[in-house]
Amino acid sequence: DHSAQLLQTTTHQVPYKIKQLSEKLGEAQSQLAQYHKQENKEIAKALLERATHIPTAGAGIKLIAEVMENKSLEDLRVIIDHLRNSDEAIITLLAVATEGKANLILMMTPKLCRDDLNAITLIKEIAPLIEGSGGGRKDLAQAGGKRPDKLNDALAQFSTLINKGFKTTPIK
């Protein structure tokens, strides 16, 4: 039997061998998921350490704007969640190119959100640069577009908007 040959076993051992391989695959997938989780946590920590500091009336704001390589949109969400759990005032724009598309995720610590400057207003201003559109909540917004080659332009525009927006208005 061909299955037995592929599994290097006898015909009556095929179901047992398949079960064994399935369990090994499950263990490997679980280990990989744990590795990804830890890696994303470490990435969030590293992003926070190299964030740009914007001085304000209070303790200041940490600005993070980066294109992430070899990451999925889900990875970016996990990294954002780690950053959101920090006690610091943070504004983050993470970008990723996947399957020829540009994706942006923007997060602001809720205390930084204002009616005129929040994740939604910022993403709507930045998204056209990647020939896309976006939306979300005041503290978390996303955009998708057709121009991954314009992600760095979007990050530059984001940094300009944040620096301009928080230099003119004090943080409560």
Side-chain angles (χ1 to χ4, degrees):
D1 176 59
H2 188 64
S3 299
Q5 282 179 330
L6 282 173
L7 295 169
Q8 298 174 343
T9 190
T10 61
T11 305
H12 73 280
Q13 287 286 322
V14 168
Y16 168 75
K17 195 75 167 175
I18 289 174
K19 185 177 184 284
Q20 201 178 31
L21 288 170
S22 177
E23 286 169 359
K24 277 186 179 175
L25 179 61
E27 286 172 23
Q29 288 172 327
S30 178
Q31 286 174 341
L32 185 61
Q34 279 299 108
Y35 168 77
H36 272 302
K37 191 176 174 183
Q38 187 60 38
E39 181 189 36
N40 287 334
K41 191 175 182 179
E42 295 296 324
I43 289 170
K45 189 176 166 189
L47 287 171
L48 205 50
E49 286 170 3
R50 67 176 181 260
T52 303
H53 181 78
I54 301 172
T56 61
I61 300 168
K62 292 211 171 186
L63 177 67
I64 299 168
E66 287 202 28
V67 175
M68 306 301 290
E69 300 292 330
N70 304 312
K71 288 288 167 198
S72 68
L73 201 50
E74 185 55 34
D75 286 327
L76 266 57
R77 286 188 193 101
V78 171
I79 292 166
I80 288 281
D81 283 341
H82 285 299
L83 291 169
R84 194 184 343 203
N85 292 332
S86 168
D87 294 333
E88 302 187 60
I90 303 170
I91 303 176
T92 306
L93 179 64
L94 296 182
V96 67
T98 49
E99 296 166 21
K101 301 262 188 245
N103 291 287
L104 301 169
I105 297 184
L106 199 156
M107 184 274 294
M108 290 178 76
T109 308
K111 67 181 174 185
L112 298 177
C113 297
R114 307 191 312 238
D115 287 342
D116 66 323
L117 188 68
N118 58 59
I120 301 168
T121 60
L122 287 165
I123 208 84
K124 286 188 182 295
E125 201 159 336
I126 299 164
L129 293 172
I130 58 167
E131 290 182 21
S133 60
R137 302 186 316 257
K138 282 187 172 189
D139 65 326
L140 184 68
Q142 249 180 267
K146 298 180 220 162
R147 298 288 304 270
D149 58 310
K150 296 289 185 183
L151 286 173
N152 284 319
D153 294 349
L155 294 180
Q157 177 67 12
F158 166 72
S159 295
T160 301
L161 291 168
I162 295 301
N163 280 303
K164 192 171 76 181
F166 282 104
K167 287 222 165 80
T168 57
T169 311
I171 309 237
K172 293 178 179 76

